[in-house]
Amino acid sequence: MKTPWHVSVSSDCVRTSPSRFIDITDGDLEEYCIGILSDYPAKDIKLIYSLGQAICSAKNSELKIGLEQDFEYFARAYDGLEMPRHLKSLSEDDIRAREERFLSNMMTVLMKNHYHILTEQEWEAAAAEDFLLTLPVNVKWDSMDDSLLHRTVWKSFPEMRDAYPACLRNRILIFHRGVTCAKMEGKYFAQKVEMLISFLVIQPILRLLLWTLDRLGLRKIERLNANVENSSSLYMRQSSLEGTTDLIQVQGDDHAASICIDRRTFHHIFPDARSVLQLMFKTIQLQEACWKDVVVVYRMANTSGTRHEFDIKSSMADDAIERNIVLKRFSSIPIADMEIVFPEKNVHMPPSVLVNIAVTLLGAILTLIATIRGGLSLTSFWTTLTMLGTRLGQVLQTKRSQKSEIERSMSQLLSQRTVASQNAALSSIINDMFSQLVRQVVFAYFVLVKHHGSTVAQLDERCEHILKQTFDLSIDFTCQEAIQVLKKWGIVTEDPTGRLLPLEIEECKIKLTDVLVASSAQQRSTIQETLKGLGLQFGSTVKESTSYSVRAIDDIRKSSVQAIHGIVGSRSKKPAESESTPWGHMADQTTKDQSQKNSIKSFFLRRRRKH
């Protein structure tokens, strides 16, 4: 039995179970299966792979159509695009129902795709450290609407809600998948100077200030404490994980391919001023764990009252714009720099700028005192004051330049790590779900054909070994999920001793053909009802409609018809290649479907008699 996926984060390392996502292309996996089953024609292996893809596409088309249909309104609201007629007529209750349905289905798809929601411990680890960012950065919480993820959305996922950080619970969804390691190397002289100033100047001053506030009975003023914390150094953030060296214990044994990554950030390498001085002119190596894939969902807060005069005014009403939903996908995000994925951030001044401003202000005060006492002439006072003002201007300009530089670096980093957003992100996530299911099921079947009579445990071990040896991919293969689907399709059975018995290739093609035709016919009626609710005709083409649903139907039609015609070996032009061919060639009438299945079965029976 598979142990549940888990991640354990301490101040020293990050340890996770191996990913369950098969991160290889369908072409590579198909070529490997052809190689191990060299006794069978390559075209038969490719055909079974195509049939598996078509069946998965047909069976999950309803979920795909529902997601794209529900997201259309909110994506257009974010982009400020004009709503089509069928969206303009939506009532408030309809919009709310679409919103809740989209968020619930989105979370379901992400979990099927082996994503995991960010936990409280992971968020604490992210907030306690910094890796790529070189200035103190805080999230602007008021830039996100805090009413998007209400209790209605979480009612289907109570355990997930309890594990999710309270500060994020109503504002943003953050899912991640896979872990990798990021490394940097350099002298980082400027950062070391900032840390020295923080250790030797800023921290003593802050301790004195907090001690004074405590004596005056003002330490309980949370807002004042927050301002004091925000003014502290980037590298001196205090962590609730400090001193925690033991990993969280989980039930069951860890997987053999579990990953453990040591965390070597500035905070770990330089615990005090002495360590900074010892390594001041030496090259250091930094290392941090990264999430391979991150998906975020949030709503931008209402900004209609803060528009800039140069902003292009949308023709859409403000109440429609307020219903926006943002979906983005990122890659290789360091755990210590999770602030990157949030829409807006505040960049604070580094310690050196604070010290320069303090010294300049102190000089101005001393100059004023000396002038009042008569130690300086009025001309000397104005000269000194001008010099101090110039110096203060230089300091502030340096501060602005540094802030602009870090914001530019953050924008560049965000651009590099953004995989997709909005409709492109949704499409890529759905396609990943389809591909993952096909890879699991078809790969497990072909391994079973090669190693006939394997048990579930043996099949699981063989699949993981093949992926590691052939593709250098260490994953926790979810064999149980694949076996359930194979049994449901009727191409694998299990005897009383637990041995898995697959159908032969020829019989498998016939069986998968039946499954494909039945799935396509069943989905046709469901899709037709969905489109009727939108006032669209089932036979409409993509050119005639802007609905995402029609495009999904066209995809199913093409994959299904191509798979069927591949079986019968038709040399004529496939109906799927013709834009005018209705989808009804596959499932217009029950009698036509039955006739088509009978002709395919007859074809294989004739071939079998010849042999």
Side-chain angles (χ1 to χ4, degrees):
M1 181 177 179
K2 287 291 182 183
T3 57
W5 189 92
H6 68 274
V7 56
S8 302
V9 184
S10 74
S11 61
D12 298 321
C13 67
V14 175
R15 185 173 184 176
T16 75
S17 301
S19 174
R20 294 178 178 175
F21 183 72
I22 305 177
D23 192 14
I24 55 179
T25 66
D26 291 323
D28 290 340
L29 192 59
E30 186 180 89
E31 288 300 320
Y32 173 79
C33 294
I34 292 174
I36 64 172
L37 299 175
S38 56
D39 294 340
Y40 298 94
K43 64 178 183 179
D44 289 348
I45 307 300
K46 293 181 178 181
L47 181 56
I48 291 178
Y49 209 106
S50 298
L51 284 168
Q53 290 175 323
I55 293 171
C56 291
S57 178
K59 286 184 174 294
N60 291 279
S61 61
E62 185 178 355
L63 177 60
K64 178 181 180 181
I65 291 171
L67 273 170
E68 293 178 336
Q69 173 188 318
D70 290 338
F71 187 56
E72 182 180 11
Y73 181 90
F74 308 109
R76 284 180 171 272
Y78 176 71
D79 295 331
L81 300 177
E82 184 70 22
M83 294 288 183
R85 183 174 59 185
H86 69 279
L87 294 180
K88 283 184 178 179
S89 59
L90 293 177
S91 64
E92 180 64 24
D93 291 339
D94 292 334
I95 296 174
R96 187 180 298 109
R98 282 181 176 236
E99 181 178 285
E100 294 177 2
R101 190 168 57 240
F102 169 75
L103 293 172
S104 178
N105 288 339
M106 191 71 226
M107 294 170 74
T108 301
V109 168
L110 289 171
M111 288 188 292
K112 284 185 177 181
N113 239 336
H114 301 298
Y115 283 90
H116 306 276
I117 198 165
L118 189 74
T119 64
E120 182 74 38
Q121 188 195 29
E122 294 162 10
W123 174 248
E124 289 179 0
E129 305 284 347
D130 287 282
F131 184 63
L132 297 177
L133 306 181
T134 56
L135 283 182
V137 176
N138 286 339
V139 176
K140 286 186 65 175
W141 297 108
D142 57 357
S143 65
M144 296 172 288
D145 186 12
D146 61 358
S147 62
L148 175 64
L149 303 170
H150 43 78
R151 287 191 174 271
T152 308
V153 177
W154 290 106
K155 67 180 180 180
S156 301
F157 311 95
E159 295 181 358
M160 193 180 296
R161 183 183 186 276
D162 294 339
Y164 200 54
C167 60
L168 310 178
R169 196 169 292 161
N170 296 328
R171 291 184 171 91
I172 184 172
L173 284 175
I174 302 180
F175 282 80
H176 58 80
R177 180 178 66 189
V179 177
T180 185
C181 182
K183 297 181 180 181
M184 296 195 304
E185 183 177 285
K187 294 186 180 296
Y188 304 107
F189 186 77
Q191 284 73 28
K192 293 174 184 177
V193 171
E194 298 286 356
M195 295 188 73
L196 272 180
I197 295 174
S198 178
F199 278 122
L200 301 178
V201 181
I202 301 297
Q203 283 195 5
I205 294 176
L206 289 179
R207 292 194 187 98
L208 178 62
L209 179 59
L210 291 175
W211 178 84
T212 305
L213 292 174
D214 189 49
R215 288 289 182 177
L216 296 175
L218 300 176
R219 188 147 188 192
K220 293 183 179 180
I221 302 179
E222 296 181 0
R223 185 171 181 179
L224 185 58
N225 267 338
N227 291 335
V228 172
E229 290 174 3
N230 288 339
S231 64
S232 62
S233 170
L234 160 69
Y235 310 102
M236 296 300 107
R237 292 187 181 181
Q238 297 299 315
S239 169
S240 60
L241 301 174
E242 186 66 27
T244 304
T245 56
D246 295 331
L247 296 173
I248 292 179
Q249 296 296 318
V250 295
Q251 295 181 352
D253 297 330
D254 288 343
H255 194 278
S258 294
I259 303 170
C260 186
I261 299 175
D262 292 330
R263 307 182 70 189
R264 290 179 53 82
T265 61
F266 284 103
H267 180 77
H268 292 88
I269 297 176
F270 303 114
D272 49 37
R274 182 180 179 181
S275 60
V276 178
L277 291 173
Q278 289 175 343
L279 299 173
M280 178 62 72
F281 301 103
K282 295 183 179 180
T283 300
I284 61 172
Q285 292 182 344
L286 303 176
Q287 178 175 291
E288 175 62 323
C290 293
W291 303 127
K292 278 187 179 180
D293 202 345
V294 178
V295 174
V296 298
V297 182
Y298 59 89
R299 168 179 289 153
M300 294 298 296
N302 181 20
T303 57
S304 58
T306 58
R307 283 199 189 102
H308 192 273
E309 60 183 354
F310 291 105
D311 290 342
I312 298 177
K313 188 174 181 180
S314 173
S315 59
M316 190 182 300
D318 289 340
D319 57 347
I321 297 177
E322 292 175 8
R323 302 307 293 263
N324 71 86
I325 292 180
V326 183
L327 172 64
K328 291 188 176 183
R329 187 176 181 183
F330 305 92
S331 66
S332 302
I333 299 296
I335 294 179
D337 295 330
M338 283 297 294
E339 298 94 337
I340 295 175
V341 304
F342 288 85
E344 295 185 20
K345 281 78 67 175
N346 287 321
V347 180
H348 300 283
M349 290 184 293
S352 60
V353 175
L354 294 175
V355 172
N356 279 331
I357 293 176
V359 171
T360 304
L361 292 176
L362 181 62
I365 293 172
L366 293 177
T367 301
L368 179 61
I369 294 174
T371 302
I372 293 174
R373 291 186 174 184
L376 290 175
S377 64
L378 187 61
T379 303
S380 299
F381 169 76
W382 285 114
T383 301
T384 306
L385 191 62
T386 301
M387 293 175 62
L388 291 173
T390 302
R391 175 57 183 162
L392 182 61
Q394 292 175 346
V395 172
L396 294 176
Q397 181 61 35
T398 302
K399 178 254 181 183
R400 283 194 292 267
S401 298
Q402 291 182 347
K403 183 177 180 179
S404 298
E405 178 63 22
I406 190 62
E407 288 176 344
R408 185 194 65 79
S409 299
M410 287 174 59
S411 297
Q412 183 179 3
L413 179 64
L414 195 61
S415 176
Q416 293 172 349
R417 302 298 169 88
T418 301
V419 177
S421 62
Q422 298 301 83
N423 293 322
L426 180 61
S427 179
S428 65
I429 292 170
I430 294 174
N431 290 337
D432 275 356
M433 183 185 71
F434 291 164
S435 299
Q436 176 71 6
L437 180 59
V438 172
R439 292 165 192 164
Q440 286 178 335
V441 173
V442 179
F443 180 58
Y445 169 76
F446 286 135
V447 174
L448 272 177
V449 173
K450 178 68 175 177
H451 302 279
H452 196 278
S454 299
T455 63
V456 174
Q458 290 171 341
L459 175 62
D460 189 276
E461 184 178 349
R462 285 189 175 114
C463 290
E464 291 180 358
H465 178 76
I466 290 170
L467 292 173
K468 175 61 179 176
Q469 295 297 320
T470 307
F471 303 101
D472 194 25
L473 188 64
S474 298
I475 69 167
D476 183 9
F477 189 80
T478 50
C479 182
Q480 291 86 346
E481 296 178 8
I483 294 302
Q484 289 177 4
V485 177
L486 291 171
K487 288 180 178 179
K488 187 176 180 180
W489 289 357
I491 59 176
V492 168
T493 57
E494 186 174 1
D495 67 11
T497 63
R499 296 169 64 246
L500 299 171
L501 308 175
L503 292 182
E504 289 297 328
I505 296 294
E506 291 292 331
E507 296 176 344
C508 178
K509 291 190 295 185
I510 298 175
K511 190 64 178 179
L512 289 183
T513 302
D514 294 343
V515 175
L516 174 59
V517 174
S519 300
S520 301
Q522 181 182 2
Q523 289 302 319
R524 180 186 185 278
S525 59
T526 303
I527 296 169
Q528 187 173 10
E529 292 299 322
T530 303
L531 293 182
K532 282 183 178 179
L534 295 174
L536 298 174
Q537 294 297 323
F538 185 77
S540 299
T541 63
V542 176
K543 187 174 181 181
E544 296 169 349
S545 173
T546 58
S547 172
Y548 293 110
S549 305
V550 178
R551 286 183 233 177
I553 293 171
D554 190 58
D555 291 342
I556 299 169
R557 172 177 59 82
K558 288 181 179 180
S559 60
S560 303
V561 175
Q562 287 173 355
I564 293 296
H565 279 266
I567 295 175
V568 299
S570 173
R571 296 180 179 273
S572 60
K573 184 177 181 181
K574 296 180 180 61
E577 296 174 355
S578 174
E579 288 297 326
S580 61
T581 302
W583 198 82
H585 273 277
M586 277 299 303
D588 244 353
Q589 300 173 352
T590 306
T591 55
K592 184 177 290 187
D593 291 338
Q594 189 62 42
S595 174
Q596 196 169 33
K597 289 195 293 183
N598 292 337
S599 64
I600 294 169
K601 289 182 179 179
S602 300
F603 170 77
F604 285 116
L605 289 174
R606 287 196 302 271
R607 288 190 59 186
R608 189 176 297 175
R609 292 194 191 101
K610 290 180 180 179
H611 291 290

